[in-house]
Amino acid sequence: MARFAVGGRDFTVDGRPVRLLSGAMHYFRVHEAQWGHRLAMLRAMGLNCVETYVPWNLHEPRPGEFRDPEALGRFLDAAHAAGLWAIVRPGPYICAEWENGGLPEWLTGPLGRRVRTRDAEYLRAVEAWFARLLPQVVARQCAGAPGPGGPEGRPEGVPEGGPGGGPVIMVQAENEYGSYGSDAGYLGWLVERLRALGVRVPLCTSDGPEDHMLSGGSVPGVLATVNFGSGAREAFATLRRHRADGPLMCMEFWCGWFAHWGRGEEPRAAEDAAAALREILECGASVNVYMAHGGTSFGGWAGANRAGELQDGELRATVTSYDYQAPVDERGRPTEKFWRFREVLAGYADGPLPPVPEPLPVLAAPARAVIEEWAPAGEVLAALGGAQIEAAGPATFEELGVDRGVVRYQVAVPGPRGRYPLRVRGLRDRAVVSVDGAPCAVVDGEDAVLGEVAGPAAVELWVGSLGRVNYGPRLAESKGIVGGLLHERQYLHGVRSRGLRLDALEEDGALARVPFRAVEDAGGGAGLYRGTVTVAGRPGDADLALPGWRHGFAWINGFCLGRYRTEGPQRTLYVPGPVLREGANALLLWEWEGAPALVGTGAGAPGLYPCGAGS
């Protein structure tokens, strides 16, 4: 049987040196029907390997409740069929600009910063998750006989199929732990559990190329790799100070970057990124291009960051698109970066590169949606929300069991009393406020003034999570209102809190319980809007435009496209072609800051457009 191994200076297959030319592609950010096309694009760019994270919170949204837990295995099978090796990074923490760094809120809520340590309760949860997940990896470990490229275009050295002959050549323990903690015992426990659960391929860690990160995140006897966007020689020199032996590898070559709502993008020129890639390879190193194809954070799973050098400042929410300025863009098309990378990688291939796949079909013609009915936000909450909690202060999202979604807080200002400032402390992240039923303010920030209010008055705040922090010391922080509500300097007690999970809208029979009414009565109110978009002719990849809609989430045929916001920089939502069908398609919009006032007359109607055609 062939054996993939970590040698003194090289990776080897049966003792023969090989170089890993890998690219990151997250199966959970790409519609499954399009996996094959995207993997073929990676092969055509010159890669021989694909890397993916695994988001724990996506697959176990509540303790012991699993959703599509076999998706990773299907993706690894698709990678194998495409003739690619695979690197799996199961975390349990992944970062990835993903909600909570992939950790479930039901775990981080009660544990807080006890996660990512050797805390016994945390380790029990990780043990149970890994026991459920890892059999898919173990069954697909690389152990088959290597063979030359065959009719399928399999690169030389990539194993044939069969039992024990899968694509997985390496598994990563944790992720950039040196950027977060220093619990060496925790890392050692993870390595031991991966081995105990059957992982036999080489293990690795990945960290920034700084001394404190490598000393905090590496494990004796486990391959250490580094992550960077440029400066390969300096980065590898730092790695060599910590590890005199072992192959050099950049586990994350950041060829682009992600974007935040309300902030401009920072593009990276193709020529600059290609030069940085060439430098990595000239150092004799292996590489994992992050991202080779970024895809989309469907389902409202995009995370957030904190500003500042210490990642402890204002919240910056990540947009739905995870295009990442990758060589294969969000819609699966080759960019200028793709062609420059292909030129570089061709010099390290064993033979001619495969042809570039034909692009997938796009929508044949624009299609305007017709919004037919709506239900006010309060009535949607009454129909689909969780249990209400009344307590001295507001309940957090975690206490209400909400990972993605909104929480309504209601409190009374006693009276009679004069007009004083109404404040919210510890707000995470954004609140739509009304007083006595009249809109008052839309605010965000840790400490916000809502306006001056006289008592008595009824105050209502709808707080929506913009995404949990996925990196840095604020990881695992709670959502909602974590401080309190004050009138003048007096805390307001007797707060009623009730949450609505985003996925409650997707449950079987949920929409039948919502009291929809004619959209002409909406008047631009916050709530749930339902309509139809009719596709004439061939369905295909499309962009959903939402002119005048402020902030919410969109579904087509039950598939959640993700979050939209009017501030940009993202202006449309990507609609994968397999989501659409010829004829009528159901459109659902959860708008919680206010819809266009004339939505029923055609103004502000959403529309589908062929990808790249604009709106």
Side-chain angles (χ1 to χ4, degrees):
M1 303 290 283
R3 181 173 182 268
F4 180 88
V6 173
R9 279 290 186 269
D10 299 296
F11 296 109
T12 64
V13 170
D14 283 344
R16 179 177 61 84
V18 296
R19 188 192 299 255
L20 298 184
L21 304 174
S22 181
M25 170 182 157
H26 301 153
Y27 66 92
F28 46 93
R29 281 181 160 131
V30 181
H31 193 285
E32 185 167 353
Q34 297 178 332
W35 285 351
H37 176 265
R38 305 303 197 257
L39 291 166
M41 290 294 293
L42 267 58
R43 281 276 290 115
M45 192 170 73
L47 302 178
N48 59 19
C49 184
V50 63
E51 172 269 310
T52 187
Y53 283 125
V54 182
W56 183 1
N57 52 6
L58 174 69
H59 293 302
E60 193 178 6
R62 285 169 282 276
E65 179 184 312
F66 296 102
R67 293 189 177 180
D68 199 13
E70 306 301 324
L72 173 63
R74 298 196 304 274
F75 177 73
L76 295 175
D77 291 341
H80 193 260
L84 291 165
W85 281 316
I87 298 170
V88 179
R89 303 207 278 173
Y93 162 81
I94 64 172
C95 185
E97 290 69 58
W98 189 259
E99 165 83 10
N100 219 22
L103 298 174
E105 58 78 21
W106 53 260
L107 186 62
T108 60
L111 297 188
R113 292 184 182 129
R114 290 157 56 193
V115 300
R116 303 186 76 189
T117 72
R118 71 186 94 179
D119 176 84
E121 189 174 348
Y122 174 68
L123 297 185
R124 281 194 296 271
V126 174
E127 169 84 23
W129 164 237
F130 273 11
R132 181 67 179 83
L133 172 72
L134 288 176
Q136 299 174 72
V137 179
V138 171
R140 293 167 175 87
Q141 295 180 99
C142 171
E152 304 88 356
R154 182 180 292 110
E156 185 177 355
V158 175
E160 302 287 348
V168 179
I169 56 171
M170 198 152 56
V171 172
Q172 183 176 294
E174 244 280 352
N175 185 56
E176 295 185 322
Y177 188 71
S179 299
Y180 179 80
S182 59
D183 191 341
Y186 163 58
L187 292 181
W189 179 89
L190 278 177
V191 168
E192 184 275 329
R193 293 320 298 158
L194 288 169
R195 291 303 189 204
L197 289 167
V199 177
R200 295 290 176 261
V201 294
L203 301 178
C204 67
T205 59
S206 70
D207 287 285
E210 298 185 38
D211 290 328
H212 70 284
M213 294 180 180
L214 284 164
S215 60
S218 59
V219 178
V222 174
L223 176 70
T225 68
V226 285
N227 303 337
F228 55 84
S230 59
R233 290 178 175 82
E234 295 82 358
F236 290 136
T238 302
L239 177 59
R240 278 289 178 241
R241 287 202 302 271
H242 290 260
R243 292 293 175 87
D245 297 315
L248 296 174
M249 182 166 187
C250 178
M251 184 56 75
E252 291 186 14
F253 164 51
W254 304 319
C255 64
W257 208 243
F258 51 93
H260 291 124
W261 291 109
R263 301 179 66 84
E265 296 184 278
E266 301 176 5
R268 184 174 188 182
E271 295 79 5
D272 174 66
L277 174 60
R278 183 178 291 107
E279 182 183 0
I280 293 171
L281 300 176
E282 287 173 348
C283 290
S286 291
V287 67
N288 180 51
V289 176
Y290 191 98
M291 298 291 297
H293 171 54
T296 310
S297 297
F298 298 118
W301 286 104
N305 299 100
R306 289 285 180 177
E309 186 176 351
L310 299 178
Q311 291 87 45
D312 203 35
E314 67 173 345
L315 190 90
R316 294 178 178 174
T318 306
V319 301
T320 296
S321 171
Y322 201 62
D323 178 86
Y324 208 90
Q325 307 163 36
V328 180
D329 74 6
E330 181 181 14
R331 293 153 176 80
R333 302 169 300 193
T335 67
E336 180 65 19
K337 202 171 287 182
F338 174 93
W339 299 110
R340 300 291 77 78
F341 281 18
R342 180 176 158 98
E343 291 172 358
V344 173
L345 294 166
Y348 296 87
D350 293 327
L353 298 184
V356 178
E358 291 294 320
L360 294 179
V362 301
L363 188 69
R368 179 67 62 91
V370 177
I371 303 298
E372 296 146 343
E373 51 188 0
W374 85 299
E379 296 183 16
V380 178
L381 178 67
L384 304 179
Q388 180 168 279
I389 293 177
E390 183 168 356
T396 65
F397 275 49
E398 289 74 18
E399 290 168 331
L400 294 164
V402 177
D403 55 359
R404 299 151 297 133
V406 297
V407 171
R408 185 187 66 188
Y409 297 99
Q410 295 174 310
V411 68
V413 177
R417 60 173 65 187
R419 294 175 67 83
Y420 292 107
L422 179 66
R423 304 175 185 274
V424 57
R425 285 189 174 167
L427 171 62
R428 314 223 181 103
D429 304 316
R430 187 172 177 90
V432 178
V433 188
S434 62
V435 176
D436 291 332
C440 173
V442 178
V443 298
D444 51 23
E446 293 282 331
D447 192 352
V449 177
L450 309 182
E452 292 192 345
V453 176
V459 178
E460 185 171 279
L461 296 89
W462 287 78
V463 176
S465 172
L466 302 182
R468 285 178 174 81
V469 168
N470 51 253
Y471 179 83
R474 297 283 290 263
L475 180 75
E477 66 183 9
S478 295
K479 286 295 185 182
I481 300 176
V482 299
L485 294 158
L486 296 93
H487 194 228
E488 204 258 344
R489 72 198 69 180
Q490 180 187 82
Y491 277 106
L492 297 176
H493 293 133
V495 180
R496 300 187 301 279
S497 310
R498 188 176 188 185
L500 175 65
R501 293 178 63 101
L502 195 65
D503 57 8
L505 301 172
E506 301 168 359
E507 295 174 354
D508 290 343
L511 298 183
R513 304 199 302 273
V514 175
F516 285 103
R517 63 193 67 178
V519 76
E520 287 77 12
D521 300 331
L528 193 61
Y529 290 79
R530 186 161 65 173
T532 303
V533 56
T534 300
V535 172
R538 179 195 65 197
D541 284 359
D543 293 324
L544 176 65
L546 295 154
W549 296 76
R550 297 178 191 171
H551 188 179
F553 295 87
W555 291 258
I556 290 185
N557 295 328
F559 183 89
C560 186
L561 304 174
R563 184 193 304 269
Y564 62 85
R565 289 182 68 176
T566 189
E567 42 277 69
Q570 182 173 351
R571 299 299 178 187
T572 61
L573 292 175
Y574 170 57
V575 185
V579 169
L580 298 172
R581 52 179 175 254
E582 186 173 5
N585 293 262
L587 175 66
L588 189 70
L589 301 174
W590 167 248
E591 170 60 62
W592 69 284
E593 289 192 27
L598 301 177
V599 66
T601 69
L608 289 177
Y609 298 86
C611 274
S615 59

